[in-house]
Amino acid sequence: MATALLTLIIVLAGLCILLFTGDAQSARYGLLFFFSLPIILRLFYGTKVAVIGMVLNVIPYVILLSNQPIPPLLGLDITMPRTQIAILRFGACASSIFAISVGLARYFG
């Protein structure tokens, strides 16, 4: 359960940063979230799933190479003045939530 939650958080965070950030340079950080996904998939689900994640990582790579800005979805823009710091905070919070959920799962389950 906790591993699925971490995987979902990585995917949703990458999509939110990519689709709801108006600044093209900051939106690229959302694509970088996807590059960490195969490592997480290998740790928790095995090699076959990690290889699938690697193959799917071609999509963000092609988007990065195209160097075309992706317009914000529905015109929503969540850009903050210091987006990079917010991304780092989100990563720290996501990893903390994951660690707490794993600890609770071990304690209760």
Short mmCIF file of all heavy atoms in Angstrom, two decimals, residues 1-42:
data_model
loop_
_atom_site.label_atom_id
_atom_site.label_comp_id
_atom_site.label_asym_id
_atom_site.label_seq_id
_atom_site.Cartn_x
_atom_site.Cartn_y
_atom_site.Cartn_z
N MET A 1 0.83 -1.20 0.00
CA MET A 1 0.00 0.00 0.00
C MET A 1 0.87 1.25 0.00
O MET A 1 0.62 2.18 -0.75
CB MET A 1 -0.91 -0.04 1.22
CG MET A 1 -1.75 1.19 1.41
SD MET A 1 -2.93 1.32 0.08
CE MET A 1 -3.74 2.80 0.52
N ALA A 2 1.88 1.27 0.84
CA ALA A 2 2.74 2.45 0.94
C ALA A 2 3.57 2.63 -0.33
O ALA A 2 3.80 3.77 -0.76
CB ALA A 2 3.65 2.34 2.15
N THR A 3 3.99 1.54 -0.96
CA THR A 3 4.78 1.66 -2.18
C THR A 3 3.92 2.19 -3.32
O THR A 3 4.39 2.99 -4.13
CB THR A 3 5.39 0.31 -2.56
OG1 THR A 3 4.34 -0.66 -2.70
CG2 THR A 3 6.37 -0.16 -1.51
N ALA A 4 2.69 1.75 -3.38
CA ALA A 4 1.78 2.26 -4.41
C ALA A 4 1.51 3.75 -4.18
O ALA A 4 1.41 4.53 -5.13
CB ALA A 4 0.47 1.47 -4.40
N LEU A 5 1.41 4.15 -2.92
CA LEU A 5 1.17 5.55 -2.59
C LEU A 5 2.37 6.40 -3.01
O LEU A 5 2.21 7.48 -3.59
CB LEU A 5 0.90 5.70 -1.10
CG LEU A 5 0.60 7.11 -0.60
CD1 LEU A 5 -0.69 7.62 -1.21
CD2 LEU A 5 0.51 7.11 0.91
N LEU A 6 3.57 5.93 -2.75
CA LEU A 6 4.77 6.67 -3.15
C LEU A 6 4.84 6.80 -4.67
O LEU A 6 5.14 7.87 -5.19
CB LEU A 6 6.04 5.99 -2.62
CG LEU A 6 7.34 6.65 -3.05
CD1 LEU A 6 7.46 8.04 -2.44
CD2 LEU A 6 8.51 5.79 -2.66
N THR A 7 4.56 5.72 -5.38
CA THR A 7 4.57 5.75 -6.84
C THR A 7 3.54 6.75 -7.36
O THR A 7 3.82 7.54 -8.26
CB THR A 7 4.30 4.35 -7.39
OG1 THR A 7 5.23 3.43 -6.82
CG2 THR A 7 4.41 4.32 -8.90
N LEU A 8 2.37 6.72 -6.79
CA LEU A 8 1.31 7.65 -7.19
C LEU A 8 1.69 9.09 -6.89
O LEU A 8 1.45 9.99 -7.71
CB LEU A 8 0.00 7.28 -6.48
CG LEU A 8 -1.21 8.11 -6.85
CD1 LEU A 8 -1.61 7.84 -8.29
CD2 LEU A 8 -2.37 7.79 -5.92
N ILE A 9 2.32 9.33 -5.75
CA ILE A 9 2.75 10.69 -5.39
C ILE A 9 3.78 11.20 -6.39
O ILE A 9 3.71 12.36 -6.82
CB ILE A 9 3.30 10.72 -3.96
CG1 ILE A 9 2.17 10.60 -2.95
CG2 ILE A 9 4.10 11.99 -3.70
CD1 ILE A 9 2.64 10.43 -1.52
N ILE A 10 4.71 10.37 -6.80
CA ILE A 10 5.73 10.79 -7.76
C ILE A 10 5.09 11.14 -9.10
O ILE A 10 5.39 12.18 -9.70
CB ILE A 10 6.81 9.70 -7.94
CG1 ILE A 10 7.64 9.57 -6.66
CG2 ILE A 10 7.71 10.01 -9.13
CD1 ILE A 10 8.58 8.40 -6.67
N VAL A 11 4.18 10.29 -9.56
CA VAL A 11 3.53 10.54 -10.84
C VAL A 11 2.67 11.80 -10.78
O VAL A 11 2.73 12.66 -11.66
CB VAL A 11 2.70 9.32 -11.28
CG1 VAL A 11 1.83 9.63 -12.48
CG2 VAL A 11 3.60 8.14 -11.58
N LEU A 12 1.85 11.92 -9.74
CA LEU A 12 0.97 13.09 -9.63
C LEU A 12 1.75 14.38 -9.42
O LEU A 12 1.38 15.42 -9.97
CB LEU A 12 -0.04 12.88 -8.50
CG LEU A 12 -1.10 11.82 -8.74
CD1 LEU A 12 -2.02 11.68 -7.54
CD2 LEU A 12 -1.90 12.12 -9.99
N ALA A 13 2.82 14.33 -8.65
CA ALA A 13 3.63 15.53 -8.45
C ALA A 13 4.26 15.98 -9.76
O ALA A 13 4.26 17.16 -10.09
CB ALA A 13 4.71 15.27 -7.39
N GLY A 14 4.78 15.03 -10.52
CA GLY A 14 5.36 15.37 -11.82
C GLY A 14 4.34 15.97 -12.76
O GLY A 14 4.60 16.96 -13.44
N LEU A 15 3.14 15.37 -12.79
CA LEU A 15 2.09 15.90 -13.66
C LEU A 15 1.63 17.28 -13.22
O LEU A 15 1.40 18.16 -14.05
CB LEU A 15 0.91 14.93 -13.70
CG LEU A 15 1.12 13.66 -14.51
CD1 LEU A 15 -0.07 12.72 -14.35
CD2 LEU A 15 1.34 14.00 -15.97
N CYS A 16 1.46 17.48 -11.92
CA CYS A 16 1.02 18.78 -11.43
C CYS A 16 2.03 19.87 -11.75
O CYS A 16 1.66 20.96 -12.19
CB CYS A 16 0.78 18.73 -9.92
SG CYS A 16 -0.74 17.90 -9.47
N ILE A 17 3.30 19.57 -11.53
CA ILE A 17 4.33 20.57 -11.82
C ILE A 17 4.40 20.84 -13.32
O ILE A 17 4.52 21.99 -13.75
CB ILE A 17 5.70 20.10 -11.28
CG1 ILE A 17 5.65 20.05 -9.76
CG2 ILE A 17 6.81 21.02 -11.75
CD1 ILE A 17 6.84 19.35 -9.14
N LEU A 18 4.26 19.80 -14.11
CA LEU A 18 4.34 19.95 -15.56
C LEU A 18 3.14 20.71 -16.12
O LEU A 18 3.28 21.61 -16.94
CB LEU A 18 4.45 18.58 -16.22
CG LEU A 18 4.48 18.55 -17.74
CD1 LEU A 18 5.74 19.23 -18.25
CD2 LEU A 18 4.38 17.13 -18.23
N LEU A 19 1.94 20.35 -15.68
CA LEU A 19 0.73 20.88 -16.30
C LEU A 19 0.19 22.15 -15.66
O LEU A 19 -0.66 22.81 -16.26
CB LEU A 19 -0.35 19.80 -16.29
CG LEU A 19 -0.03 18.54 -17.08
CD1 LEU A 19 -1.12 17.51 -16.92
CD2 LEU A 19 0.20 18.86 -18.55
N PHE A 20 0.62 22.48 -14.47
CA PHE A 20 0.06 23.66 -13.80
C PHE A 20 1.09 24.75 -13.54
O PHE A 20 0.87 25.63 -12.73
CB PHE A 20 -0.61 23.27 -12.49
CG PHE A 20 -1.80 22.37 -12.67
CD1 PHE A 20 -1.83 21.12 -12.08
CD2 PHE A 20 -2.87 22.76 -13.43
CE1 PHE A 20 -2.91 20.29 -12.24
CE2 PHE A 20 -3.96 21.93 -13.61
CZ PHE A 20 -3.98 20.69 -13.01
N THR A 21 2.22 24.69 -14.22
CA THR A 21 3.25 25.71 -14.06
C THR A 21 3.39 26.45 -15.38
O THR A 21 3.64 25.83 -16.42
CB THR A 21 4.60 25.08 -13.66
OG1 THR A 21 4.40 24.35 -12.46
CG2 THR A 21 5.65 26.13 -13.43
N GLY A 22 3.24 27.75 -15.35
CA GLY A 22 3.30 28.55 -16.56
C GLY A 22 4.70 28.76 -17.09
O GLY A 22 4.91 28.88 -18.29
N ASP A 23 5.68 28.81 -16.23
CA ASP A 23 7.06 29.02 -16.64
C ASP A 23 7.63 27.73 -17.22
O ASP A 23 7.63 26.69 -16.56
CB ASP A 23 7.89 29.47 -15.42
CG ASP A 23 9.33 29.73 -15.76
OD1 ASP A 23 9.61 30.15 -16.90
OD2 ASP A 23 10.19 29.51 -14.89
N ALA A 24 8.11 27.79 -18.45
CA ALA A 24 8.59 26.59 -19.14
C ALA A 24 9.79 25.97 -18.43
O ALA A 24 9.92 24.75 -18.35
CB ALA A 24 8.95 26.91 -20.58
N GLN A 25 10.69 26.80 -17.91
CA GLN A 25 11.86 26.28 -17.22
C GLN A 25 11.46 25.54 -15.94
O GLN A 25 12.02 24.49 -15.62
CB GLN A 25 12.83 27.41 -16.89
CG GLN A 25 13.48 28.03 -18.11
CD GLN A 25 14.33 27.02 -18.85
OE1 GLN A 25 13.87 26.41 -19.81
NE2 GLN A 25 15.56 26.84 -18.43
N SER A 26 10.52 26.08 -15.19
CA SER A 26 10.09 25.42 -13.96
C SER A 26 9.26 24.17 -14.25
O SER A 26 9.29 23.22 -13.48
CB SER A 26 9.26 26.39 -13.11
OG SER A 26 10.05 27.49 -12.72
N ALA A 27 8.54 24.17 -15.35
CA ALA A 27 7.73 23.01 -15.70
C ALA A 27 8.60 21.80 -16.01
O ALA A 27 8.17 20.66 -15.83
CB ALA A 27 6.83 23.33 -16.89
N ARG A 28 9.82 22.03 -16.42
CA ARG A 28 10.73 20.91 -16.71
C ARG A 28 11.06 20.10 -15.47
O ARG A 28 11.40 18.92 -15.57
CB ARG A 28 12.01 21.42 -17.34
CG ARG A 28 11.80 21.93 -18.73
CD ARG A 28 13.07 22.39 -19.33
NE ARG A 28 12.81 22.88 -20.67
CZ ARG A 28 13.74 23.11 -21.55
NH1 ARG A 28 14.99 22.91 -21.23
NH2 ARG A 28 13.43 23.55 -22.73
N TYR A 29 10.97 20.72 -14.31
CA TYR A 29 11.22 19.97 -13.08
C TYR A 29 10.19 18.86 -12.89
O TYR A 29 10.48 17.83 -12.28
CB TYR A 29 11.23 20.90 -11.87
CG TYR A 29 12.44 21.79 -11.82
CD1 TYR A 29 12.32 23.16 -11.98
CD2 TYR A 29 13.70 21.27 -11.63
CE1 TYR A 29 13.43 23.99 -11.94
CE2 TYR A 29 14.82 22.07 -11.60
CZ TYR A 29 14.68 23.43 -11.75
OH TYR A 29 15.78 24.23 -11.72
N GLY A 30 8.98 19.07 -13.40
CA GLY A 30 7.97 18.03 -13.34
C GLY A 30 8.37 16.81 -14.13
O GLY A 30 8.12 15.67 -13.72
N LEU A 31 9.01 17.04 -15.27
CA LEU A 31 9.48 15.91 -16.08
C LEU A 31 10.60 15.15 -15.37
O LEU A 31 10.73 13.94 -15.51
CB LEU A 31 9.96 16.40 -17.45
CG LEU A 31 8.86 16.93 -18.37
CD1 LEU A 31 9.48 17.59 -19.58
CD2 LEU A 31 7.92 15.84 -18.76
N LEU A 32 11.41 15.87 -14.61
CA LEU A 32 12.51 15.22 -13.90
C LEU A 32 12.01 14.27 -12.82
O LEU A 32 12.70 13.32 -12.46
CB LEU A 32 13.45 16.27 -13.32
CG LEU A 32 14.19 17.11 -14.35
CD1 LEU A 32 15.07 18.14 -13.66
CD2 LEU A 32 15.02 16.24 -15.28
N PHE A 33 10.82 14.52 -12.29
CA PHE A 33 10.25 13.60 -11.31
C PHE A 33 10.08 12.21 -11.91
O PHE A 33 10.27 11.21 -11.23
CB PHE A 33 8.88 14.11 -10.83
CG PHE A 33 8.93 14.93 -9.59
CD1 PHE A 33 9.59 16.14 -9.55
CD2 PHE A 33 8.30 14.50 -8.44
CE1 PHE A 33 9.63 16.90 -8.42
CE2 PHE A 33 8.33 15.25 -7.30
CZ PHE A 33 9.00 16.45 -7.29
N PHE A 34 9.71 12.16 -13.19
CA PHE A 34 9.47 10.87 -13.82
C PHE A 34 10.74 10.05 -13.98
O PHE A 34 10.69 8.83 -14.04
CB PHE A 34 8.80 11.06 -15.19
CG PHE A 34 7.43 11.64 -15.10
CD1 PHE A 34 7.13 12.87 -15.64
CD2 PHE A 34 6.42 10.94 -14.46
CE1 PHE A 34 5.87 13.41 -15.55
CE2 PHE A 34 5.15 11.47 -14.36
CZ PHE A 34 4.87 12.71 -14.91
N PHE A 35 11.89 10.72 -14.06
CA PHE A 35 13.14 9.99 -14.22
C PHE A 35 13.53 9.22 -12.96
O PHE A 35 14.35 8.31 -13.02
CB PHE A 35 14.26 10.93 -14.66
CG PHE A 35 14.05 11.48 -16.04
CD1 PHE A 35 14.19 12.83 -16.28
CD2 PHE A 35 13.71 10.66 -17.08
CE1 PHE A 35 13.99 13.35 -17.54
CE2 PHE A 35 13.51 11.16 -18.36
CZ PHE A 35 13.65 12.51 -18.58
N SER A 36 12.97 9.58 -11.81
CA SER A 36 13.26 8.82 -10.59
C SER A 36 12.34 7.61 -10.45
O SER A 36 12.58 6.73 -9.63
CB SER A 36 13.10 9.73 -9.37
OG SER A 36 11.75 10.12 -9.21
N LEU A 37 11.32 7.56 -11.25
CA LEU A 37 10.32 6.49 -11.12
C LEU A 37 10.88 5.08 -11.36
O LEU A 37 10.56 4.17 -10.59
CB LEU A 37 9.15 6.79 -12.06
CG LEU A 37 7.85 6.07 -11.77
CD1 LEU A 37 7.37 6.35 -10.36
CD2 LEU A 37 6.80 6.50 -12.77
N PRO A 38 11.71 4.81 -12.37
CA PRO A 38 12.22 3.45 -12.54
C PRO A 38 13.02 2.94 -11.35
O PRO A 38 12.98 1.74 -11.04
CB PRO A 38 13.09 3.54 -13.79
CG PRO A 38 12.55 4.67 -14.55
CD PRO A 38 12.07 5.65 -13.53
N ILE A 39 13.72 3.82 -10.67
CA ILE A 39 14.48 3.39 -9.50
C ILE A 39 13.53 2.92 -8.40
O ILE A 39 13.74 1.86 -7.79
CB ILE A 39 15.38 4.54 -8.99
CG1 ILE A 39 16.40 4.91 -10.07
CG2 ILE A 39 16.07 4.17 -7.69
CD1 ILE A 39 17.14 6.18 -9.79
N ILE A 40 12.50 3.69 -8.16
CA ILE A 40 11.50 3.33 -7.15
C ILE A 40 10.79 2.05 -7.56
O ILE A 40 10.57 1.15 -6.73
CB ILE A 40 10.48 4.48 -6.95
CG1 ILE A 40 11.19 5.75 -6.52
CG2 ILE A 40 9.38 4.09 -6.00
CD1 ILE A 40 11.86 5.67 -5.18
N LEU A 41 10.45 1.93 -8.84
CA LEU A 41 9.77 0.72 -9.31
C LEU A 41 10.66 -0.51 -9.16
O LEU A 41 10.18 -1.58 -8.79
CB LEU A 41 9.35 0.90 -10.77
CG LEU A 41 8.27 1.94 -11.04
CD1 LEU A 41 8.06 2.11 -12.54
CD2 LEU A 41 6.98 1.58 -10.35
N ARG A 42 11.95 -0.36 -9.42
CA ARG A 42 12.87 -1.50 -9.27
C ARG A 42 12.99 -1.94 -7.82
O ARG A 42 13.03 -3.12 -7.52
CB ARG A 42 14.25 -1.09 -9.83
CG ARG A 42 15.36 -2.08 -9.51
CD ARG A 42 15.16 -3.38 -10.27
NE ARG A 42 16.30 -4.24 -10.14
CZ ARG A 42 16.41 -5.21 -9.21
NH1 ARG A 42 15.45 -5.41 -8.35
NH2 ARG A 42 17.47 -5.97 -9.16
#
